[in-house]
C-alpha cells in the first residue's frame, strides 16, 4: 500500500495511525456492501436477513483468502461478460419495443 509506505517513511507512529485508519476504511466499506447485498434477499432486521448477512460475510471472508490478484482476475472478466450480455439484452428489448408501436398502428388503420 503506497500510502502506508509513505506514512512509515515519515514516522512509525503515523504508520500505526494510518494502518488503523485503513483497516477502518476497509471494514466500513465491507459492512456497507454486505448490508446492501443482503437487503436484496431479505428485509433488514429479520432473522432471515441476519442469517443471510452472516452467510455472505463468511463467503466473502473465504473468497478474500484467495488473494486479491486471483479474485480480480476471476471476477472482473465475469462481470465484463455479464455486462455485455445485459447490454445486448437491453438493446434487443429496446429494438423490439420500438417496432411494436409501428405494427400496432398498422393493425388499427387496416
Amino acid at each position: 500500500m503506497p500510502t502506508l509506505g509513505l506514512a512509515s517513511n515519515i514516522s512509525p507512529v503515523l504508520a500505526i495511525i494510518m494502518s488503523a485508519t485503513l483497516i477502518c476504511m476497509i471494514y466500513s466499506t465491507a459492512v456497507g456492501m454486505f448490508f446492501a447485498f443482503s437487503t436484496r434477499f431479505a428485509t433488514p432486521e429479520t432473522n432471515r436477513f441476519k442469517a443471510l448477512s452472516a452467510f455472505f460475510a463468511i463467503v466473502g471472508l473465504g473468497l478474500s483468502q484467495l488473494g486479491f490478484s486471483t479474485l480480480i482476475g476471476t471476477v472482473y472478466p465475469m462481470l465484463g461478460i455479464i455486462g455485455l450480455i445485459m447490454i445486448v439484452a437491453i438493446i434487443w428489448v429496446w429494438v423490439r419495443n420500438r417496432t411494436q408501436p409501428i405494427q400496432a398502428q398498422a393493425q388499427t388503420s387496416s
Side-chain angles (χ1 to χ4, degrees), residues 10-34:
I10 295 171
S11 166
V13 173
L14 186 60
I16 292 171
I17 293 170
M18 193 63 194
S19 295
T21 303
L22 287 170
I23 288 171
C24 289
M25 290 167 57
I26 292 168
Y27 178 75
S28 66
T29 301
V31 167
M33 295 303 289
F34 281 123

Side-chain angles (χ1 to χ4, degrees), residues 52-76:
L52 283 175
S53 295
F55 173 74
F56 293 142
I58 291 168
V59 169
L61 182 63
L63 289 174
S64 72
Q65 301 305 309
L66 295 175
F68 187 73
S69 304
T70 305
L71 195 58
I72 294 302
T74 304
V75 171
Y76 273 127

